[in-house]
Amino acid sequence: MAVDKDKLRVAAFTIAATCFLALVISIRFVGQFLMKSRRKKSCYLTTESKPQYAFKRVLADNSYSQFKHLKLHAADSQSDEDYSNLHPYRGEISQLIKNPNVAFLEVLDGCEKGVLEMGDSYVWVETEAQLGELVEVLSNEKVFAVDTEQHSFRSFLGFTALIQISTIREDYLVDTIILHDVMGLLRPVFADPGICKVFHGADNDVLWLQRDFHIYVVNLFDTAKACDILSKPQRSLAYLLETYCSVATNKLLQREDWRQRPLPEEMIQYARTDAHYLLYIAYCLCLELKERNENSSPGDKFHFLLEASRRSNATCLQLFAKDIEACQGELAASSIVSRCLNDQGNISSSLCDDKFQELVRRLCLWRDIMARLHDESLRFVLSENAIIALAAQIPTDETDICSTISEADRDVESVALVPLQSPSSVVCCHLEDLLCLLQENTANLDNIFHRFIQQHLGPAGSCPLSAYNYALLSKTSLGVTYKSTSNRNGFRASKQIAKKASRELFVQKFSCKAPVYHNCKIYANDGRLLCYCDRRKLEWYLSRDLAKLVEQDPPSIMLLFEPKGRPEDEDNDFYIQSKKNICVGCGEGNHYLRYRIIPSCYRIHFPEHLKSHRSHDIVLLCVDCHEIAHAAAEKYKKQVAAEFGIPLFIRKVVDFDNTQHVPSSMPIVTSEEIGVSPLQLRTAAMALLRHGPEMPSQRRQELMQIVMTYYGGREISEEDLERALIVGMTPHEKRKFEKKRGFAFKHLTGGINLNDGKENNIGSKGTPSLQTALKGGSMDANMTLMNREQDVDTLMIEDRGGSTQPSSLNDGGNIVESTIDTDDVMSDLKIVEDDHISGNGILSNETTCSMHVGDVPLKHESKLSLLGHGPHGKQVVAHLLKEYGEDGIREFCQRWRQVFVEALHPRFLPAGWDVMHRI
């Protein structure tokens, strides 16, 4: 009996232990399952079908590597990296620019509007066989029209969703989504220099065809370029359709979803219209261009039609390139932070502390990675408003994250033209990422984001691999380790370290502190894009109820009134394009400086209407590219100086009146020896005033001799030193000098007057007039220019009552009369009167001077520094305006743009930027 009880006890214990173990295993298994299911949510891409995921051949993926262009010959010796920057058809296009081919006019000659009236029939091309037939048809044409429709909202780089091609007889709509992998069949036709392709505003189309299909356009006629040359009041395609064809189009359809199949009838009609009438419009514009030539003067060598062809084919030389920042997401983060610091981000600027800015950078980098990984646009993944709200509120759980984003996007959803899902599918599937970013304290973001990529794309990743994101697994350099790369190679020479430190200091001090381009859009009330602007201008319209917000990211408004003028009338290729905050030379986005392609010493003297509100020739450059471009510009300035015979610098100055009263103890100074460099004079005077008594006697005597040379060799006083110190200073230089140097004048009792329009009350009465020796420069009084050496020009200044000697330029020993005429310069300058000279003998800041270059009197404002290139620039511009008019200024600008392009070979110029751009 006792044995039975023991057996029962053992059996019960065994059963209980077994049940407990089973329960523990079950709980652990369920817990692991729940944790795993929570940690690894299914990606929305596993159930949502995106058209581009069916593409088998993707030329531009979403990785951080550069785009590789077509390589025509496999045996080419260039490396892939070198070849990516070469245009495969550069030779053919360059030949067309040199010798334009306008034979297509023979085909269009005599065509009438009625022939090109759009009927109901068109060909929808959706099979490879149909595409082959289209290629055969186009191969036998001499000209055809092309347009494209893009989709960018649900794609990172965007892709071509439809190509419209029209011949005189038929319209073709090519379904590039279905035929994406075989679109290369069209490459030979588009590259055939014997067939003209007609586009309107082809800058973007040319790049998109390269990006998606390696199709390169050769022999292009751009109707927008023709509008430029004809100075049309508008240059949009909608304007041309209304003017020449009496056809109105709804441009809002351009922003519809062109991925949808089948396309609605309204969108098909819109697509056909854009290409169908282009041939007739091109024909009309060509007739007008030819008529311009027939009505021009016999000696005019400008051929309007050929120029339109040249400019069109120059567009073909553009090369597509991906935007690769040094630190991904940094530009967007800087823009958001700048917006918040200016109280434009729906939060107080006082809340924009270091923690807020760090979170903004993390969120922007995460958004960039998620957009690349899922092939979505940045604005689809996470709006700027949502980033600001998350960084400001720092939600602590996934529910709070969703509600924060939804609240931030509420205003966006009410006005956006494209319906928004908030939060987006990307955010909903990766909420744990955002929670980790908001709560993570580590500063090593590199590890965090590499972990995200591996977690989502790795062997057990939650997101499907595709042709767009596969390369991210092997090429995940995010740029966040940029600051530490300098130590990778170990020891660096001290000279290199010093150079790097100097460069970083320069970047820190002079680079732009916030994004330059905000790329906010302004639409007319009919839906046409008017221009891009910054946030401040956009807010101005909204605050006055002159516009309504239609898009949030980037911010866009639609005017509630009819604008008086349209920026597209100016130059649609450039001024109606978004611009990127990167160096146009190398693509550097971590820092950049503004660079003026036309040097300021020339541009400030242009007529106002040729320089006002013109941003075409102001670009962004990194420090390294800036250095290269600046060196090339300085070199070319010397060529300009030699070409026009107008030296760059004022070479010598001298107080002429005192040369007539040289003490007997001093040798008489001949005309070949008189004068001293203004920089030498200023430096010597400053050194003597500050440290004269403490100087070694020999050094002091050398500096005294410099100043005495200026005063004609006479003995000088401390008052003379003070007067010599300010010779040739502009009002700005005087203000800067007194503020920065803190120098106290002891003898010039009036001090330095810092008001631009007032007199300088300096010195004592009876100060004699000045004689200056200049290189391309000026001084205050009546002047006569003589050259005493091949490289030194001497400017003689005398009292108004005295006589001036005629002068000439010495060119290698041969006396030649200068051809510089300065009527245009004098038109905006005052005539020197006796009362401009104060009782102290010093000219007021408004004073101008009369000088003679050859036999022509030249006036000069004292606001131009004796040490800069201002006087040189003023004379060059005056000469161009007198001899060639405004066309001379335009040609001069084109020369400078060519210098810039040849020096830097920029690969990231804004769309529409053109060496031949006409102001």
Side-chain angles (χ1 to χ4, degrees):
M1 191 71 179
V3 174
D4 292 340
K5 287 182 178 180
D6 289 339
K7 288 182 178 179
L8 288 173
R9 203 176 286 121
V10 170
F13 177 78
T14 302
I15 293 172
T18 302
C19 293
F20 178 77
L21 183 61
L23 181 63
V24 169
I25 293 174
S26 299
I27 292 174
R28 184 175 180 181
F29 176 78
V30 171
Q32 287 180 339
F33 176 79
L34 292 175
M35 289 179 65
K36 184 175 180 181
S37 62
R38 177 180 176 82
R39 184 171 61 248
K40 184 181 177 181
K41 294 180 180 178
S42 175
C43 180
Y44 72 98
L45 291 177
T46 58
T47 56
E48 179 180 334
S49 175
K50 297 181 70 175
Q52 63 264 41
Y53 271 45
F55 300 164
K56 297 178 181 178
R57 187 170 183 266
V58 175
L59 300 174
D61 60 29
N62 297 337
S63 70
Y64 300 95
S65 58
Q66 284 290 356
F67 181 79
K68 292 183 180 179
H69 282 274
L70 178 66
K71 198 171 182 179
L72 286 179
H73 307 292
D76 282 326
S77 59
Q78 292 95 335
S79 65
D80 288 342
E81 183 177 358
D82 294 335
Y83 211 90
S84 64
N85 300 327
L86 297 177
H87 198 296
Y89 298 96
R90 184 177 186 86
E92 291 87 340
I93 296 172
S94 299
Q95 188 63 32
L96 285 169
I97 295 174
K98 186 182 299 183
N99 301 303
N101 180 3
V102 291
F104 68 91
L105 273 180
E106 298 176 4
V107 179
L108 298 179
D109 192 21
C111 75
E112 297 179 355
K113 180 180 172 182
V115 177
L116 293 177
E117 286 289 352
M118 191 167 70
D120 295 330
S121 66
Y122 65 92
V123 179
W124 180 269
V125 181
E126 60 181 351
T127 67
E128 187 173 352
Q130 289 177 310
L131 185 62
E133 293 174 3
L134 174 60
V135 171
E136 187 175 349
V137 170
L138 297 179
S139 299
N140 295 319
E141 297 288 340
K142 291 296 181 182
V143 58
F144 59 85
V146 187
D147 191 27
T148 69
E149 303 300 338
Q150 303 290 311
H151 179 79
S152 59
F153 185 59
R154 297 298 306 274
S155 172
F156 185 73
L157 292 176
F159 61 89
T160 305
L162 187 72
I163 292 181
Q164 306 97 278
I165 298 176
S166 291
T167 67
I168 293 179
R169 291 169 292 277
E170 191 65 83
D171 298 332
Y172 300 88
L173 300 183
V174 183
D175 189 340
T176 54
I177 294 178
I178 294 178
L179 297 174
H180 182 277
D181 297 329
V182 294
M183 285 298 296
L185 291 174
L186 284 173
R187 190 179 304 132
V189 175
F190 276 79
D192 188 340
I195 304 175
C196 180
K197 278 67 68 173
V198 178
F199 284 77
H200 180 85
D203 298 87
N204 286 328
D205 297 287
V206 164
L207 298 178
W208 291 333
L209 291 173
Q210 295 175 11
R211 175 197 66 193
D212 294 337
F213 316 118
H214 270 171
I215 290 177
Y216 296 82
V217 180
V218 179
N219 193 357
L220 166 69
F221 185 83
D222 191 337
T223 51
K225 302 293 185 187
C227 289
D228 290 341
I229 295 175
L230 292 168
S231 300
K232 291 290 183 182
Q234 294 186 35
R235 62 191 307 283
S236 67
L237 181 55
Y239 165 78
L240 296 177
L241 286 168
E242 292 175 5
T243 302
Y244 293 100
C245 308
S246 301
V247 173
T249 58
N250 180 9
K251 281 298 175 183
L252 291 177
L253 291 173
Q254 190 175 27
R255 287 175 281 168
E256 289 293 331
D257 186 355
W258 288 92
R259 301 175 304 164
Q260 55 183 307
R261 296 293 185 270
L263 286 172
E265 185 61 30
E266 184 183 23
M267 293 176 68
I268 290 177
Q269 288 298 106
Y270 170 84
R272 288 185 61 199
T273 301
D274 275 3
H276 179 89
Y277 293 99
L278 261 185
L279 292 178
Y280 176 72
I281 291 172
Y283 174 69
C284 294
L285 293 174
C286 287
L287 290 182
E288 292 182 30
L289 290 167
K290 291 176 69 176
E291 186 179 353
R292 283 285 183 93
N293 265 111
E294 294 170 359
N295 296 334
S296 60
S297 58
D300 192 350
K301 298 180 180 179
F302 187 83
H303 197 292
F304 290 87
L305 180 57
L306 297 184
E307 181 64 19
S309 178
R310 289 190 189 97
R311 295 188 188 185
S312 299
N313 280 294
T315 304
C316 299
L317 289 175
Q318 293 183 107
L319 284 174
F320 171 76
K322 292 195 288 185
D323 297 332
I324 307 297
E325 301 177 41
C327 187
Q328 299 305 319
E330 184 64 26
L331 288 179
S334 299
S335 176
I336 293 173
V337 170
S338 174
R339 172 182 166 190
C340 294
L341 290 175
N342 292 323
D343 295 321
Q344 297 177 355
N346 299 325
I347 66 168
S348 172
S349 58
S350 60
L351 298 178
C352 299
D353 53 13
D354 291 343
K355 184 176 181 180
F356 171 84
Q357 295 184 30
E358 173 62 23
L359 287 176
V360 168
R361 290 188 181 89
R362 291 186 181 192
L363 291 169
C364 285
L365 179 52
W366 178 84
R367 180 179 69 165
D368 182 88
I369 293 174
M370 291 297 108
R372 292 174 185 272
L373 194 148
H374 297 86
D375 195 35
E376 303 284 6
S377 66
L378 296 178
R379 67 182 188 274
F380 174 82
V381 175
L382 196 63
S383 69
E384 287 191 0
N385 276 5
I387 290 176
I388 293 172
L390 290 173
Q393 300 176 26
I394 315 180
T396 56
D397 58 49
E398 295 180 1
T399 303
D400 287 345
I401 290 175
C402 291
S403 60
T404 300
I405 294 175
S406 298
E407 183 69 25
D409 286 341
R410 186 166 298 169
D411 294 336
V412 182
E413 290 183 45
S414 64
V415 298
L417 296 179
V418 180
L420 296 177
Q421 174 189 345
S422 183
S424 67
S425 307
V426 177
V427 170
C428 292
C429 291
H430 301 293
L431 284 169
E432 65 277 7
D433 289 359
L434 288 174
L435 193 60
C436 175
L437 283 179
L438 295 171
Q439 304 299 327
E440 185 76 47
N441 293 321
T442 179
N444 191 355
L445 294 181
D446 201 11
N447 291 338
I448 295 176
F449 290 104
H450 275 287
R451 189 177 73 205
F452 284 160
I453 290 178
Q454 292 297 328
Q455 178 180 325
H456 299 318
L457 288 183
S462 59
C463 302
L465 286 171
S466 72
Y468 289 95
N469 62 29
Y470 179 78
L472 286 171
L473 280 174
S474 56
K475 300 176 181 179
T476 53
S477 174
L478 307 180
V480 293
T481 56
Y482 173 76
K483 296 180 180 179
S484 63
T485 55
S486 61
N487 296 321
R488 288 180 182 174
N489 297 325
F491 175 77
R492 304 242 179 184
S494 58
K495 186 175 180 180
Q496 291 175 316
I497 294 175
K499 184 177 180 180
K500 184 174 184 294
S502 175
R503 178 185 181 279
E504 290 178 352
L505 182 63
F506 187 90
V507 169
Q508 181 181 358
K509 187 173 182 180
F510 295 106
S511 63
C512 299
K513 303 300 186 291
V516 176
Y517 305 122
H518 293 169
N519 289 320
C520 302
K521 299 178 184 178
I522 297 181
Y523 292 99
N525 50 13
D526 60 358
R528 298 183 194 172
L529 177 62
L530 293 180
C531 66
Y532 284 81
C533 68
D534 59 17
R535 293 179 184 274
R536 186 170 299 180
K537 184 174 182 180
L538 183 143
E539 293 293 338
W540 187 90
Y541 282 105
L542 291 175
S543 64
R544 288 163 176 77
D545 295 325
L546 298 174
K548 63 179 180 179
L549 193 68
V550 294
E551 293 178 4
Q552 185 68 28
D553 189 11
S556 305
I557 60 174
M558 180 177 289
L559 299 182
L560 301 178
F561 60 93
E562 176 61 30
K564 183 178 180 181
R566 296 175 181 262
E568 61 190 24
D569 303 346
E570 298 281 345
D571 188 346
N572 192 38
D573 286 348
F574 181 81
Y575 295 104
I576 308 186
Q577 296 288 344
S578 62
K579 299 175 183 64
K580 299 163 186 172
N581 290 288
I582 60 173
C583 168
V584 301
C586 65
E588 167 68 60
N590 207 38
H591 77 272
Y592 38 80
L593 304 83
R594 289 182 180 88
Y595 177 78
R596 295 184 182 275
I597 296 174
I598 317 297
S600 295
C601 67
Y602 304 110
R603 189 177 183 273
I604 59 173
H605 303 300
F606 286 0
E608 188 64 29
H609 65 281
L610 295 185
K611 65 181 179 180
S612 179
H613 302 291
R614 305 286 175 175
S615 59
H616 181 274
D617 296 316
I618 302 176
V619 296
L620 301 182
L621 293 180
C622 67
V623 168
D624 301 316
C625 292
H626 193 287
E627 184 177 359
I628 296 170
H630 178 71
E634 291 302 303
K635 182 178 179 181
Y636 192 66
K637 278 184 187 177
K638 295 178 182 178
Q639 296 181 30
V640 172
E643 177 183 347
F644 292 100
I646 303 175
L648 281 174
F649 294 101
I650 294 173
R651 193 59 178 260
K652 290 186 177 181
V653 291
V654 64
D655 186 345
F656 176 61
D657 231 32
N658 287 293
T659 61
Q660 315 301 324
H661 308 288
V662 181
S664 58
S665 59
M666 296 292 293
I668 299 296
V669 182
T670 65
S671 59
E672 286 81 2
E673 297 170 336
I674 62 173
V676 63
S677 159
L679 180 59
Q680 261 189 319
L681 177 64
R682 190 177 299 179
T683 304
M686 173 60 77
L688 289 169
L689 286 169
R690 291 204 166 194
H691 310 291
E694 295 85 15
M695 282 184 178
S697 58
Q698 183 179 353
R699 177 57 178 162
R700 187 174 186 276
Q701 189 59 37
E702 290 174 358
L703 296 179
M704 287 289 288
Q705 188 62 46
I706 293 173
V707 182
M708 290 168 66
T709 302
Y710 167 70
Y711 284 109
R714 69 171 173 82
E715 295 294 334
I716 58 174
S717 64
E718 192 166 343
E719 178 183 348
D720 293 323
L721 290 176
E722 291 183 0
R723 191 179 301 112
L725 183 61
I726 63 168
V727 167
M729 279 190 183
T730 66
H732 174 71
E733 287 176 327
K734 294 171 185 176
R735 287 193 295 268
K736 188 176 179 181
F737 176 81
E738 190 171 72
K739 180 179 179 181
K740 224 178 167 185
R741 300 277 184 175
F743 183 80
F745 290 87
K746 299 176 182 177
H747 301 281
L748 301 183
T749 55
I752 299 180
N753 192 315
L754 302 181
N755 297 319
D756 289 357
K758 307 298 181 183
E759 292 182 353
N760 290 322
N761 301 316
I762 303 174
S764 59
K765 293 182 179 180
T767 303
S769 302
L770 302 178
Q771 172 192 3
T772 39
L774 304 179
K775 184 174 186 240
S778 57
M779 196 56 189
D780 300 326
N782 288 336
M783 305 179 182
T784 305
L785 184 62
M786 298 187 302
N787 195 338
R788 299 303 181 184
E789 301 173 4
Q790 183 175 354
D791 198 35
V792 179
D793 301 322
T794 306
L795 188 64
M796 313 294 292
I797 301 182
E798 301 179 287
D799 292 328
R800 287 195 64 83
S803 63
T804 56
Q805 303 174 1
S807 69
S808 54
L809 294 176
N810 185 344
D811 183 15
N814 299 319
I815 305 298
V816 295
E817 294 296 323
S818 172
T819 59
I820 301 173
D821 195 319
T822 57
D823 291 344
D824 292 297
V825 180
M826 291 187 287
S827 64
D828 64 341
L829 297 176
K830 298 181 180 178
I831 302 216
V832 178
E833 303 292 347
D834 288 330
D835 58 3
H836 281 128
I837 303 179
S838 70
N840 305 322
I842 302 298
L843 298 175
S844 72
N845 286 340
E846 282 192 348
T847 306
T848 60
C849 55
S850 261
M851 70 180 177
H852 290 264
V853 183
D855 292 329
V856 183
L858 173 64
K859 296 183 179 181
H860 169 69
E861 291 176 311
S862 62
K863 292 185 179 181
L864 297 181
S865 171
L866 291 182
L867 300 183
H869 295 161
H872 159 81
K874 193 168 187 68
Q875 293 179 56
V876 169
V877 173
H879 176 65
L880 290 171
L881 286 172
K882 178 63 179 177
E883 294 296 322
Y884 310 104
E886 292 183 359
D887 283 341
I889 297 296
R890 295 186 178 97
E891 190 273 337
F892 188 64
C893 292
Q894 291 169 5
R895 289 166 59 181
W896 277 103
R897 295 185 196 116
Q898 192 62 41
V899 169
F900 174 75
V901 170
E902 291 177 356
L904 210 56
H905 301 291
R907 296 184 289 118
F908 299 92
L909 283 166
W913 192 94
D914 188 1
V915 169
M916 303 302 293
H917 173 76
R918 286 180 65 84
I919 305 174

